[in-house]
Amino acid sequence: MYLQGKTAIVTGAGRGLGRAEALELARLGANVVVNDFGQPGRDGSGEASATPAEEVVAEIRAAGGPAVAHLGDVADFEQARGLVRLAIDTYGSLDILVNNAGILRDRMVFSMTEEEWDSVIHVHLKGHFNTTHFAAAHWRAQSKAAGGPVYGRIVNTSSEAFLAGSAGQPNYAAAKGGIVGLTTSTADALRKYGVTANAICPRARTRMTEDVFSSIPAGQEGGPAGEGAFDILAPEHVSPLVGYLSAPAAERISGQVFVVHGGMVALVDRPKVAAKFDTAKEVFSYEELDGLLTPYFAERPPNETFAATEVLGLKHG
């Protein structure tokens, strides 16, 4: 019970990765606020039916843990405020924020509509900012009142689409790249208050990604698990890292980016300077740049770009 007495928010926790993360945090002893956008429906008899968030809350309570549902949209600034307030009002504290909520609207950049771009940026990037803003303000106020560091953990969800590039996901890749920038900025800003912020790039088979992995045959890497086998892309491969980064043991880990899936965790290094060019004069001219850069890139393999495509080949073992 490494998180006994701690209170965690998990966004987008009605299904998939968020659900697995909420269950893991509860297993480790945390009070969990399960956020997932949606309103109750009606079953065949006309009775109100539970939302996915409420079903996860029921799972946690059935296992003996405290949990409450929040059905608001974290991409809405005021509803994100209400989510943080719900955690504090219900359990007296907020200690852990796991940002997971997201959507996909995949299309090539030349075919993408404005709405497809805006909606993905809105839910992923603005949703991460909104909850982070209110949690950070709470922890800062707590630290000032206490006169020292407090307990705070943020785990954000980025993606290999940002690290490696994804031709059919310019909106998603951009949002996930923005989340890494938000994470490193937040880690730096909140370090003196005792708060850590890290990002994970998970690979998992969820409702959101089912189309991405649907063409892979069973038994192949990334395909559905065979009879009696544990799915290599199950969300349960990801949730233990989220639990660990939320725990006291991870107090020295902040501003980091991890790739996680299929029994593997990889720490991503920061970008490095590949080459440096200096002008022989006071200011570069076109001709001087042409003389320096053109021969350099003539020898550099065209696939050596900022995109780290090698992360797509990472696997356990």
Side-chain angles (χ1 to χ4, degrees):
M1 304 294 279
Y2 302 103
L3 300 178
Q4 185 69 44
K6 301 288 192 290
T7 297
I9 289 173
V10 184
T11 72
R15 301 179 177 90
L17 275 172
R19 173 183 173 274
E21 292 162 353
L23 293 175
E24 176 68 4
L25 293 173
R27 189 187 71 81
L28 295 174
N31 313 312
V32 184
V33 181
V34 180
N35 161 265
D36 204 75
F37 184 43
Q39 297 301 319
R42 298 283 173 180
D43 61 20
S45 65
E47 295 292 323
S49 58
T51 65
E54 290 167 334
E55 291 174 351
V56 175
V57 166
E59 282 188 77
I60 293 172
R61 290 178 176 174
V68 63
H70 179 270
L71 306 182
D73 179 6
V74 294
D76 180 280
F77 197 65
E78 290 306 315
Q79 292 184 55
R81 184 201 302 270
L83 171 59
V84 171
R85 179 48 53 192
L86 176 64
I88 297 167
D89 289 348
T90 304
Y91 298 112
S93 70
L94 172 62
D95 306 285
I96 300 156
L97 170 63
V98 179
N99 284 309
N100 171 75
I103 60 172
L104 288 180
R105 298 290 185 270
D106 292 353
R107 204 176 296 276
M108 302 294 282
V109 68
F110 42 77
S111 303
M112 183 164 287
T113 67
E114 182 181 19
E115 189 280 329
E116 288 167 340
W117 172 270
D118 288 348
S119 61
V120 169
I121 299 295
H122 184 68
V123 175
H124 286 272
L125 187 52
K126 188 166 188 284
H128 271 62
F129 162 74
N130 287 346
T131 54
T132 298
H133 166 78
F134 290 113
H138 169 70
W139 287 322
R140 178 174 180 265
Q142 266 196 326
S143 178
K144 287 183 175 294
V150 296
Y151 191 100
R153 300 285 189 270
I154 299 173
V155 182
N156 289 331
T157 306
S158 183
S159 170
E160 293 169 291
F162 153 67
L163 292 171
S166 182
Q169 298 179 303
N171 48 4
Y172 184 71
K176 293 305 190 181
I179 287 167
V180 169
L182 172 65
T183 303
T184 55
S185 174
T186 301
D188 190 43
L190 300 186
R191 183 172 288 109
K192 64 182 178 181
Y193 303 120
V195 178
T196 69
N198 294 287
I200 62 170
C201 299
R203 193 188 303 175
R205 193 187 316 282
T206 67
R207 190 179 66 154
M208 191 178 83
T209 63
E210 60 186 355
D211 290 341
V212 177
F213 300 117
S214 61
S215 62
I216 304 175
Q220 289 190 14
E221 181 78 18
E227 186 71 27
F230 188 59
D231 190 350
I232 196 169
L233 291 178
E236 288 75 15
H237 284 297
V238 175
S239 53
L241 177 61
V242 173
Y244 170 74
L245 292 174
S246 302
E251 65 179 347
R252 292 178 57 84
I253 303 174
S254 192
Q256 306 296 334
V257 178
F258 297 89
V259 175
V260 52
H261 57 79
M264 180 219 73
V265 173
L267 176 64
V268 179
D269 204 359
R270 62 186 179 274
K272 298 179 180 179
V273 177
K276 178 175 174 287
F277 307 91
D278 296 306
T279 180
K281 306 170 186 178
E282 289 187 355
V283 180
F284 269 118
S285 65
Y286 171 90
E287 290 78 13
E288 189 179 13
L289 288 170
D290 182 26
L292 291 171
L293 296 180
T294 301
Y296 174 82
F297 281 97
E299 298 296 324
R300 185 180 174 94
N303 62 341
E304 284 192 18
T305 69
F306 190 82
T309 55
E310 64 270 18
V311 300
L312 298 178
L314 290 172
K315 60 182 179 180
H316 176 255

